[in-house]
């Protein structure tokens, strides 16, 4: 495609009358740095933007401003990043960021949140629709089986937990019993030491007594 | 300046648009006052329904307020930015809406017959209106029709050709010629305005 061919598509691009492939071809050409085409596009963009000035003037309903201002005060501004427009016509490419008005984003954080809510509603509706579908009997049976399996697993888990608890209690009792036996053993040991001391005492007394008897004529 | 006159949509202060996007309530209110009539007229023209047009405007202004879209002073005039946003949203809605609310063709021939134009329009906007309306009126009807289908319905030239049952080359030539004539008229107006 020659430069003249491309130049002829500029007004069509500006008004949004090009097909995707033609649009991409022209954008590639503009990206290559063609100043005359860029200048022409800027002028034709101005023409396109001026078209609504010729429309019959229809003032918005008086209540609309209050509605918009009210919605605005309910939702404080949040910082979101700009996204390229989903609408191709009049959409300047990234390359024209500094030449033409910015384009509308297709998604926003608010849109994302709203989308999530809508998805939630959709899932709910799908679930309801699914319940009312002819497959409901089979699916309900499968669900009941799964529920039974979950209940059985839960019961098994509860039994294991109970057994574990019993084991822990038995271990505690055993430990306490061992502690008591150790204390008794220590007491017996003390008594044994005391008895040994008494025996030593008695042995000493006996020896002394035997010595005195031997000195008596 | 006469404060009773409506402020021109074509002369919105870029600083007002920038402040509106930064949470300035007064600036946002002023931006609405200066732009809403023009945006609403465009949305009604595309959608053919005031209710739908009002919803589109709510979306556009909500996005401006929430900074989902951001005005950059270096990237064009505020009204050009807002018109582009509104047109995109309205066409998107037109494409996804059920057939019952598809727009009715509202010709810009009605522009000259608007009885409320002076009441809601600033002299600056009226001047642009006169230039565009006069040039459009001077265009052959086939050229004007092709232009309007492209701009107000977002149709590529192939679909315009199908809609009008005309060869594609003929339709693209008509759109191109119409745009060139409008550019010439605007050039003349801008030159006169600059020298005035």
């Amino acid at each position: 495609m020659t430069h003249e061919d491309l130049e002829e598509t500029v007004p069509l691009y500006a008004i949004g009358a090009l097909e995707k492939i033609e649009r991409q071809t022209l954008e590639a050409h503009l990206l290559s740095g063609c100043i005359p085409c860029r200048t022409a596009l800027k002028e034709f963009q101005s023409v396109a933007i001026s078209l609504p000035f010729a429309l019959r003037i229809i003032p918005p309903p008086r209540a609309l401003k209050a509605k918009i201002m009210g919605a605005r005060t309910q939702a404080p501004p949040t910082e979101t990043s700009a996204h390229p427009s989903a609408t191709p016509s009049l959409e300047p490419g990234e390359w024209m960021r500094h030449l033409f008005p910015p384009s509308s984003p297709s998604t926003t954080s608010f849109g994302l949140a709203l989308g999530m809510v809508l998805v939630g509603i959709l899932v709910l509706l799908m679930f309801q629709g699914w319940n009312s579908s002819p497959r409901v009997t089979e699916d309900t049976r499968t669900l009941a089986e799964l529920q039974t399996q979950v209940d059985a697993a839960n019961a098994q888990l509860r039994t294991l937990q109970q057994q574990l608890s019993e084991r822990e209690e038995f271990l505690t009792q055993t430990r306490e019993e061992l502690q008591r036996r150790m204390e008794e053993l220590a007491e017996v040991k003390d008594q044994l030491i005391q008895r040994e001391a008494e025996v030593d005492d008695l042995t000493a007394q006996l020896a002394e007594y035997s010595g005195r008897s031997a000195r008596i004529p | 300046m006469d404060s009773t006159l409506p402020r021109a949509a074509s002369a919105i202060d870029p600083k007002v648009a920038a402040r509106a996007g930064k949470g300035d309530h007064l600036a946002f209110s002023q931006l609405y006052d200066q732009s809403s009539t023009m945006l609403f007229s465009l949305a009604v023209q595309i959608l053919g329904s005031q209710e739908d047009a009002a919803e589109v405007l709510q979306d556009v202004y909500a996005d401006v307020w929430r900074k989902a879209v951001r005005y950059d002073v270096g990237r064009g005039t505020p009204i050009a930015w807002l018109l582009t946003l509104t047109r995109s949203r309205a066409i998107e809605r037109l494409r996804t809406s059920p057939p019952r609310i598809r727009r009715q063709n509202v010709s810009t021939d009605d522009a000259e017959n608007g009885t409320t134009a002076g009441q809601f329009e600033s002299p600056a906007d009226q001047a642009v209106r006169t230039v565009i309306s006069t040039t459009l009126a001077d265009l052959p009807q086939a050229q004007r029709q092709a232009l309007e289908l492209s701009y107000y319905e977002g149709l590529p030239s192939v679909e315009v050709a199908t809609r009008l049952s005309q060869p594609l080359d003929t339709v693209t030539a008509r759109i191109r010629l119409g745009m060139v004539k409008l550019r010439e008229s605007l050039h003349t107006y801008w030159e006169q305005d600059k020298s005035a």
Side-chain angles (χ1 to χ4, degrees):
Chain A
M1 198 179 262
T2 65
H3 177 264
E4 282 182 359
D5 293 336
L6 289 164
E7 200 169 22
E8 287 197 339
T9 64
V10 172
L12 299 165
Y13 180 93
I15 203 171
L18 288 185
E19 292 287 355
K20 190 177 178 182
I21 294 174
E22 298 169 312
R23 220 168 47 232
Q24 288 172 341
T25 306
L26 180 60
E27 285 180 356
H29 173 67
L30 291 162
L31 268 173
S32 73
C34 179
I35 301 298
C37 284
R38 285 189 180 205
T39 307
L41 181 55
K42 195 171 180 181
E43 289 174 355
F44 282 118
Q45 286 273 6
S46 298
V47 170
I49 288 301
S50 300
L51 285 174
F53 282 82
L55 291 175
R56 182 167 57 92
I57 286 182
I58 305 170
R62 285 183 183 278
L64 184 60
K65 184 176 182 182
K67 204 171 180 179
I68 287 171
M69 298 298 273
R72 182 184 51 98
T73 49
Q74 283 166 11
T78 53
E79 192 74 33
T80 56
S81 59
H83 301 281
S85 170
T87 309
S89 54
L90 274 184
E91 177 189 40
E94 282 298 307
W95 58 274
M96 279 194 282
R97 186 170 289 280
H98 299 293
L99 283 178
F100 296 108
S103 55
S104 158
S106 57
T107 55
T108 65
S109 61
F110 174 76
L112 182 63
L114 187 62
M116 288 173 72
V117 170
L118 288 175
V119 166
I121 293 169
L122 189 61
V123 167
L124 189 64
L125 289 173
M126 284 173 66
F127 180 71
Q128 285 176 345
W130 175 62
N131 265 346
S132 61
S133 71
R135 294 171 48 201
V136 69
T137 311
E138 187 189 342
D139 292 336
T140 305
R141 195 183 307 121
T142 308
L143 189 64
E145 285 172 6
L146 286 171
Q147 186 62 47
T148 307
Q149 289 176 6
V150 170
D151 289 344
N154 280 337
Q156 199 173 359
L157 183 65
R158 279 196 298 274
T159 306
L160 286 171
Q161 282 175 337
Q162 192 175 352
Q163 287 177 355
L164 185 64
S165 176
E166 286 172 0
R167 295 275 170 90
E168 281 180 354
E169 194 177 349
F170 175 74
L171 190 62
T172 306
Q173 287 173 355
T174 305
R175 195 180 292 121
E176 287 172 355
E177 181 67 21
L178 182 64
Q179 183 70 26
R180 194 162 53 245
R181 293 286 170 87
M182 292 290 285
E183 286 172 0
E184 285 176 1
L185 189 63
E187 198 174 336
V188 169
K189 193 177 173 183
D190 286 346
Q191 287 175 359
L192 185 63
I193 291 168
Q194 195 174 349
R195 293 286 180 276
E196 281 178 352
E198 285 175 1
V199 169
D200 288 344
D201 247 6
L202 287 171
T203 306
Q205 285 176 11
L206 185 62
E208 188 180 351
Y209 181 75
S210 299
R212 271 186 211 162
S213 298
R215 284 200 295 271
I216 295 171
Chain B
M1 181 181 170
D2 188 350
S3 62
T4 59
L5 284 173
R7 291 183 178 177
S10 55
I12 297 172
D13 186 347
K15 289 176 188 167
V16 169
R19 287 207 311 270
K22 290 178 180 172
D24 184 326
H25 292 244
L26 277 176
F28 187 82
S29 178
Q30 189 182 335
L31 184 72
Y32 178 90
D33 290 341
Q34 281 188 259
S35 61
S36 59
T37 299
M38 179 65 67
L39 302 188
F40 190 69
S41 302
L42 173 62
V44 171
Q45 173 71 21
I46 291 171
L47 294 164
S49 154
Q50 295 208 10
E51 290 77 15
D52 289 322
E55 286 180 19
V56 165
L57 254 66
Q58 283 183 61
D59 289 346
V60 168
Y61 285 111
D63 281 351
V64 170
W65 176 253
R66 286 197 313 265
K67 298 182 187 176
V69 289
R70 211 174 301 170
Y71 175 65
D72 183 343
V73 176
R75 290 157 67 183
T77 64
I79 193 62
W81 170 57
L82 290 170
L83 283 169
T84 305
L85 286 178
T86 305
R87 178 177 176 271
S88 298
R89 298 291 164 82
I91 288 174
E92 199 174 295
R93 192 182 181 92
L94 185 72
R95 286 174 181 164
T96 56
S97 64
R100 64 176 179 79
I101 62 165
R102 288 270 172 168
R103 71 187 289 274
Q104 300 164 349
N105 279 322
V106 185
S107 169
T108 47
D109 289 344
D110 296 338
E112 289 297 303
N113 302 326
T115 54
T116 57
Q119 184 183 347
F120 291 99
E121 216 173 22
S122 72
D125 291 352
Q126 279 180 22
V128 179
R129 163 190 292 279
T130 304
V131 172
I132 299 294
S133 299
T134 307
T135 311
L136 282 173
D138 288 345
L139 292 180
Q141 193 193 354
Q143 277 184 25
R144 192 169 64 240
Q145 198 177 18
L147 271 175
E148 288 177 356
L149 281 172
S150 270
Y151 188 75
Y152 294 117
E153 296 199 34
L155 296 181
S157 48
V158 176
E159 288 184 40
V160 175
T162 306
R163 184 80 70 89
L164 299 176
S165 304
Q166 295 286 329
L168 177 60
D169 288 346
T170 305
V171 167
T172 53
R174 283 173 180 169
I175 294 174
R176 191 181 308 115
L177 283 172
M179 289 292 282
V180 168
K181 284 178 189 170
L182 284 163
R183 181 177 65 165
E184 286 167 2
S185 298
L186 277 172
H187 260 303
T188 308
Y189 165 70
W190 286 327
E191 290 303 319
Q192 287 171 354
D193 193 47
K194 214 181 286 180
S195 58

